[in-house]
Amino acid sequence: MLQLALPELIVTVAALIVLAIDLLFLRQYQTRVRFTIAAGLASIGCAAAILQLLLTPAQANVLDGMLVANPLTHLVQIALLVLTIFTLLLSADSTFTEHVGEFVLLILAATVGMMFLVGSQDIVIIFISLELLSLSLYILTAFDKRSARSSEAALKYFLFGGMSAAFLLFGFSLLYGLSNSTSLTYIASAIHGQSLTPLLVIAIVTTVIGLGFKVAAAPFHFWAPDVYQGAPVPSAAFIASGSKVASFFIFFQVMVIGFAGAEGSATWRHFTPGWVSVLAVVAVLSMVLGNLVAIVQSHVRRLLAYSAIAHAGYILLALLSHTQQSLGALIYYVVTYALATLGTFGVIAVVEKQTHSDRLSDFDGLSRRAPVLSFCMFIFLLSLAGIPPLAGFFGKFYLFVSVLAAPGSTGLLWPVVLAIAMSAVSLYYYLQVLKRMYVASPPAGTEKMQAPILSQFVIVLLAAAIVLLGCTPHLLLRWMMEAIQASGL
């Protein structure tokens, strides 16, 4: 068991080492130097954890799913660690806090929470891991003490998060009452073949509310715009990328494994009660609300928040068909989405440092002031919009195909058609940002933007990854599908 938890242990030890070194030796240095050293040490810890994951036994199940290891969990955990490394490197030039060691410690604590979350099929461990992740994210949101907006966002995040945790805990307690077990597999065995009793319906609804909050799906999305705008940029980037990957993966596992036998149907004219029909309503609300409200945003961070709500709607389509192919499509989509979002926040960080704002007008003429960053932003936004040959296009295409290819799911054509229509709407607001960057003139008297070398390198690397995964998606997809088949999900 200790060997299975060794990657998480390595990340924890790395967090404590970073904190100790920062407190004991780095206090007298400039904040940027401290951030660079702390990010470097933490990245080495994450890299060591990746190496350990590659050496850990490929198949293991401890105490009926409390700790699960298989090729798929390893793959997702490696993706989480890579996203954490990118976040840490993008934060190396930050100056928003003097508490550098504590900030990096919280990033790594959230990563440990995500790794345990992905590697468990037990509702107690899932809830504890989610809370470890959530508490770290609440504090990371409030980390800029000089910003009232940061504190306000953290308070809203905490209050909404507390309510969602209560709903999730209530749903899990009902599942335990119905099955007398905390294992998702045993819960599914207990409820399989039963009709939808009122208790099971309440368990489904409260679980969807709790997990819907974590992925910012409508109508549980109220925290997202304020957190995306108010949190320090590295915190917002981490919330928008790594935590989404872990949350969507566990969302799929809880619904597909734990509620097996209570699916119902969301096919056209054949709606039957179950968790699939509930998620169909949530997906439609997310796609429509996210895309329409994003159109009227005047700040790029809020635009990304409503865009994230819309993307949550697209990704939930993978749960409607719940096949191995749709799971592969979900992971591919959410990982490439996380890479593009991280890169976008990297560019926003550079612009904010010079303009102290993220209004659309602050991006006027950016292509003349920072051509390399502008081109990378061009790639990220077009990928988010789903334009070929970028990774976002293949992610959407593969996701929609996986939904329609599922046995007996031709009736799911209606949410796919809606998703395609909403993708066309999303193109409008992404192009608004690009129009500001490439068509509008820069404000008079503005000088060329100086981006830190490390940040620029990471942003270019992320843009290259988006192009590479779009042109050669089989590089990730083949590895992913082999892992899914080997894991038996």
Side-chain angles (χ1 to χ4, degrees), residues 74-248:
H74 286 178
L75 176 66
V76 179
Q77 287 172 336
I78 289 171
L80 292 171
L81 287 163
V82 170
L83 290 169
T84 303
I85 291 173
F86 279 130
T87 305
L88 289 165
L89 295 180
L90 283 175
S91 70
D93 194 53
S94 301
T95 56
F96 61 85
T97 180
E98 296 293 319
H99 302 281
V100 176
E102 292 89 333
F103 179 81
V104 174
L105 172 82
L106 284 167
I107 290 271
L108 294 182
T111 305
V112 171
M114 291 190 293
M115 292 172 73
F116 275 122
L117 185 62
V118 166
S120 178
Q121 293 179 358
D122 183 279
I123 54 176
V124 174
I125 303 299
I126 289 172
F127 184 78
I128 293 172
S129 305
L130 267 176
E131 287 312 292
L132 173 60
L133 170 63
S134 300
L135 289 172
S136 303
L137 297 184
Y138 301 150
I139 304 170
L140 286 170
T141 303
F143 224 82
D144 188 355
K145 293 181 180 176
R146 293 166 292 189
S147 168
R149 188 172 284 173
S150 174
S151 305
E152 180 188 343
L155 181 61
K156 288 181 181 175
Y157 196 14
F158 175 72
L159 291 176
F160 282 119
M163 283 193 290
S164 78
F167 275 110
L168 187 62
L169 189 58
F170 186 62
F172 280 176
S173 65
L174 288 178
L175 287 179
Y176 178 75
L178 289 168
S179 63
N180 201 28
S181 174
T182 58
S183 165
L184 289 178
T185 307
Y186 288 117
I187 290 169
S189 302
I191 65 175
H192 188 72
Q194 292 183 11
S195 58
L196 280 178
T197 61
L199 284 181
L200 184 55
V201 171
I202 296 171
I204 290 173
V205 172
T206 51
T207 302
V208 168
I209 291 173
L211 294 176
F213 170 87
K214 303 299 178 190
V215 300
F220 322 112
H221 64 281
F222 295 106
W223 60 274
D226 293 313
V227 170
Y228 274 53
Q229 189 172 24
V233 173
S235 305
F238 190 62
I239 292 167
S241 56
S243 75
K244 288 290 179 68
V245 175
S247 300
F248 273 113

Side-chain angles (χ1 to χ4, degrees), residues 98-408:
E98 296 293 319
H99 302 281
V100 176
E102 292 89 333
F103 179 81
V104 174
L105 172 82
L106 284 167
I107 290 271
L108 294 182
T111 305
V112 171
M114 291 190 293
M115 292 172 73
F116 275 122
L117 185 62
V118 166
S120 178
Q121 293 179 358
D122 183 279
I123 54 176
V124 174
I125 303 299
I126 289 172
F127 184 78
I128 293 172
S129 305
L130 267 176
E131 287 312 292
L132 173 60
L133 170 63
S134 300
L135 289 172
S136 303
L137 297 184
Y138 301 150
I139 304 170
L140 286 170
T141 303
F143 224 82
D144 188 355
K145 293 181 180 176
R146 293 166 292 189
S147 168
R149 188 172 284 173
S150 174
S151 305
E152 180 188 343
L155 181 61
K156 288 181 181 175
Y157 196 14
F158 175 72
L159 291 176
F160 282 119
M163 283 193 290
S164 78
F167 275 110
L168 187 62
L169 189 58
F170 186 62
F172 280 176
S173 65
L174 288 178
L175 287 179
Y176 178 75
L178 289 168
S179 63
N180 201 28
S181 174
T182 58
S183 165
L184 289 178
T185 307
Y186 288 117
I187 290 169
S189 302
I191 65 175
H192 188 72
Q194 292 183 11
S195 58
L196 280 178
T197 61
L199 284 181
L200 184 55
V201 171
I202 296 171
I204 290 173
V205 172
T206 51
T207 302
V208 168
I209 291 173
L211 294 176
F213 170 87
K214 303 299 178 190
V215 300
F220 322 112
H221 64 281
F222 295 106
W223 60 274
D226 293 313
V227 170
Y228 274 53
Q229 189 172 24
V233 173
S235 305
F238 190 62
I239 292 167
S241 56
S243 75
K244 288 290 179 68
V245 175
S247 300
F248 273 113
F249 181 74
I250 202 63
F251 205 160
F252 191 99
Q253 289 221 101
V254 169
M255 302 313 294
V256 174
I257 298 176
F259 288 101
E263 289 88 352
S265 173
T267 53
W268 182 250
R269 294 183 179 178
H270 292 90
F271 253 66
T272 50
W275 61 264
V276 169
S277 47
V278 174
L279 283 183
V281 174
V282 174
V284 168
L285 281 176
S286 301
M287 287 188 283
V288 174
L289 186 143
N291 281 306
L292 295 185
V293 180
I295 291 174
V296 296
Q297 299 305 310
S298 57
H299 289 75
V300 178
R301 287 216 220 180
R302 290 186 80 84
L303 186 150
L304 283 179
Y306 283 103
S307 154
I309 295 164
H311 280 283
Y314 305 141
I315 298 168
L316 286 177
L317 296 184
L319 275 76
L320 302 188
S321 55
H322 53 278
T323 60
Q324 283 191 345
Q325 190 182 0
S326 69
L327 175 59
L330 182 149
I331 297 172
Y332 181 91
Y333 191 108
V334 77
V335 168
T336 52
Y337 166 79
L339 291 173
T341 306
L342 258 181
T344 307
F345 271 104
V347 177
I348 291 173
V350 176
V351 174
E352 269 195 11
K353 189 156 284 186
Q354 305 233 351
T355 63
H356 308 289
S357 168
D358 67 315
R359 289 172 303 188
L360 278 171
S361 56
D362 295 317
F363 287 76
D364 284 355
L366 188 67
S367 61
R368 269 84 85 196
R369 292 183 283 158
V372 175
L373 290 183
S374 298
F375 185 66
C376 292
M377 187 76 159
F378 177 82
I379 291 172
F380 298 139
L381 292 180
L382 289 189
S383 179
L384 291 173
I387 301 298
L390 303 170
F393 165 75
F394 184 79
K396 273 186 185 165
F397 174 76
Y398 189 53
L399 182 70
F400 298 158
V401 167
S402 73
V403 175
L404 296 177

Side-chain angles (χ1 to χ4, degrees), residues 3-21:
Q3 190 182 4
L4 289 182
L6 202 50
E8 289 87 348
L9 190 61
I10 290 172
V11 178
T12 306
V13 171
L16 296 174
I17 290 173
V18 169
L19 181 65
I21 289 178

